[in-house]
């Protein structure tokens, strides 16, 4: 049987996972569902590329992109992975992942030499997403990882302030159970709660042990905890963060960090990209 790129193994599990979730899911939900479905061991999840991103999660993102190219996943839903009618109805027992990959490759070669049309609008959208997949996260994470520990703490302080937190202080005391700072989030004039946070520059996966230690340090000191890292979290860590009967802990991984910086345009300068519309100029020839 012919072999394709590593990510092709995730193509069918991703479609199956989205079907079980009602046809759509947030990117992180779909990714976690594929990891659970394939029973990918934590050792594999801890492997990272040169920029500190998870190899497995990156491969699942590429699988999603190729399913956009093949018409199985909608390209227009940003932040949400949604199956198209084709993705919902196709008989997966007859779907060959390697052949799908080859078909997409052939199609993209043909499209690259064709005149843009209404069909190519979608193509340009996924082309842009491909550039984002390869650039923004992989460029920003190394910058964050290059900061000093104190610098990263102060940057997280700034990030929380930009998100509406008040009285955000960096404490960073050694032997304090990993607590790096605290702040207040006001929901309305009558309701607010105290939050403590931990910041960890990390090229790899944060395990459940670190989450338990952090929770132990916050008991009796805050209503909620936030754990920010440039790495990612193991599946056990995610389960530990929302374990019943315990104080909830919000997990912010490298991918989520990048999205927050993008949304706030914090340290990032937006760029406008224009694409020529040949049909507009045709009437003037």
């Amino acid at each position: 049987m012919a072999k394709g790129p590593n990510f092709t193994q995730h193509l069918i599990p991703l479609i199956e996972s989205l079907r079980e979730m009602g046809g759509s899911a947030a990117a992180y939900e779909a990714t976690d569902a594929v990891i659970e479905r394939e029973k990918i061991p934590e050792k594999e999840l801890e492997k990272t590329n040169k920029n500190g991103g998870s190899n497995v999660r990156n491969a699942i993102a590429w699988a999603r992109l190729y399913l956009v190219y093949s018409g199985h996943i909608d390209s227009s839903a940003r932040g949400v992975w949604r199956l198209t009618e084709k993705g919902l109805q196709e008989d997966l027992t007859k779907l060959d992942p390697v052949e799908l990959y080859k078909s997409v490759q052939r199609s993209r070669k043909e499209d690259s030499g064709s005149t843009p049309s209404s069909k190519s609008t979608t193509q340009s959208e996924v082309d842009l997403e491909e550039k984002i997949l390869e650039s923004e996260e992989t460029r920003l994470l190394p910058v964050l990882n290059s900061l000093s520990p104190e610098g990263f703490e102060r940057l997280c302080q700034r990030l929380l302030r930009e998100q509406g937190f008040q009285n955000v202080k960096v404490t960073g005391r050694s032997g304090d159970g990993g607590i790096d700072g605290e702040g207040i989030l006001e929901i309305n004039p009558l309701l607010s709660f105290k939050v403590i946070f931990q910041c960890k520059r990390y090229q790899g996966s944060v395990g459940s042990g670190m989450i338990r230690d952090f929770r132990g340090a916050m008991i009796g000191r805050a209503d909620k905890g936030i754990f920010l890292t440039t790495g990612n979290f193991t599946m056990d860590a995610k389960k530990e963060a929302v374990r019943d009967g315990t104080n909830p802990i919000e997990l912010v991984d490298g991918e989520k960090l990048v999205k927050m910086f993008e949304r706030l345009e914090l340290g990032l300068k937006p760029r406008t990209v224009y694409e020529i519309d040949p049909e507009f100029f045709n009437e003037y020839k």
Side-chain angles (χ1 to χ4, degrees):
M1 185 166 150
K3 293 186 76 173
N6 229 12
F7 70 80
T8 58
Q9 66 184 299
H10 304 303
L11 292 170
I12 290 177
L14 178 51
I15 295 175
E16 290 173 334
S17 297
L18 287 171
R19 284 181 179 180
E20 285 187 1
M21 300 170 86
S24 66
Y28 75 91
E29 292 174 327
T31 302
D32 285 351
V34 172
I35 290 169
E36 292 271 22
R37 174 177 286 275
E38 296 188 65
K39 295 182 170 57
I40 299 173
E42 293 294 350
K43 263 191 175 179
E44 284 299 308
L45 294 174
E46 288 173 6
K47 292 180 180 177
T48 59
N49 55 36
K50 62 182 180 180
N51 297 303
S54 164
N55 286 338
V56 170
R57 293 178 183 277
N58 188 59
I60 295 172
W62 276 104
R64 176 257 171 187
L65 194 62
Y66 267 71
L67 289 172
V68 170
Y69 289 138
S70 67
H72 290 84
I73 289 181
D74 183 7
S75 70
S76 63
R78 295 187 63 80
V80 175
W81 296 2
R82 184 173 62 208
L83 292 174
T84 61
E85 195 63 27
K86 181 179 180 181
L88 288 167
Q89 302 298 333
E90 181 152 355
D91 183 355
L92 298 185
T93 62
K94 297 177 181 177
L95 183 62
D96 182 344
V98 177
E99 184 49 44
L100 182 148
Y101 164 73
K102 290 179 178 177
S103 174
V104 166
Q105 288 288 303
R106 288 193 296 268
S107 174
R108 284 175 57 71
K109 278 183 183 177
E110 291 168 7
D111 284 350
S112 64
S114 63
T115 303
S117 62
S118 57
K119 176 187 173 187
S120 68
T121 302
T122 301
Q123 186 65 44
S124 65
E125 287 172 359
V126 289
D127 284 344
L128 180 58
E129 288 195 39
E130 185 172 17
K131 288 174 184 173
I132 291 171
L133 184 63
E134 292 181 312
S135 61
E136 288 182 359
E137 189 174 337
T138 55
R139 287 205 317 246
L140 183 55
L141 285 180
V143 172
L144 298 179
N145 279 318
S146 72
L147 302 176
S148 67
E150 297 78 13
F152 186 57
E153 288 171 2
R154 287 189 291 107
L155 182 59
C156 289
Q157 177 188 38
R158 170 75 183 276
L159 189 63
L160 292 175
R161 281 175 175 157
E162 295 283 351
Q163 291 286 0
F165 286 78
Q166 299 172 0
N167 301 325
V168 185
K169 300 173 186 173
V170 171
T171 56
R173 296 186 295 272
S174 59
D176 202 17
I179 293 175
D180 293 317
E182 60 185 41
I184 303 292
L185 181 61
E186 184 179 291
I187 306 301
N188 59 50
L190 299 174
L191 179 62
S192 64
F193 55 85
K194 184 178 180 181
V195 172
I196 61 175
F197 60 90
Q198 180 173 359
C199 319
K200 196 168 189 67
R201 295 172 310 138
Y202 209 64
Q203 292 194 10
S205 299
V206 173
S208 57
M210 291 186 190
I211 304 302
R212 281 193 294 272
D213 290 345
F214 180 48
R215 177 178 283 118
M218 65 179 275
I219 290 176
R221 301 172 59 178
D223 305 295
K224 199 174 184 66
I226 303 176
F227 198 120
L228 306 100
T229 179
T230 52
N232 51 67
F233 297 95
T234 65
M235 297 303 294
D236 285 342
K238 291 182 178 183
K239 291 173 184 174
E240 176 63 32
V242 293
R243 182 162 53 87
D244 289 344
T246 61
N247 284 6
I249 297 175
E250 292 295 331
L251 303 182
V252 180
D253 62 11
E255 182 181 350
K256 196 169 183 179
L257 265 180
V258 170
K259 285 185 170 62
M260 290 170 72
F261 276 93
E262 289 172 1
R263 188 169 61 251
L264 294 167
E265 294 183 6
L266 191 61
L268 296 172
K269 295 178 181 178
R271 260 189 332 197
T272 302
V273 178
Y274 293 98
E275 181 182 353
I276 293 173
D277 178 7
E279 292 183 5
F280 173 83
F281 296 99
N282 282 343
E283 64 177 285
Y284 298 99
K285 286 185 177 178

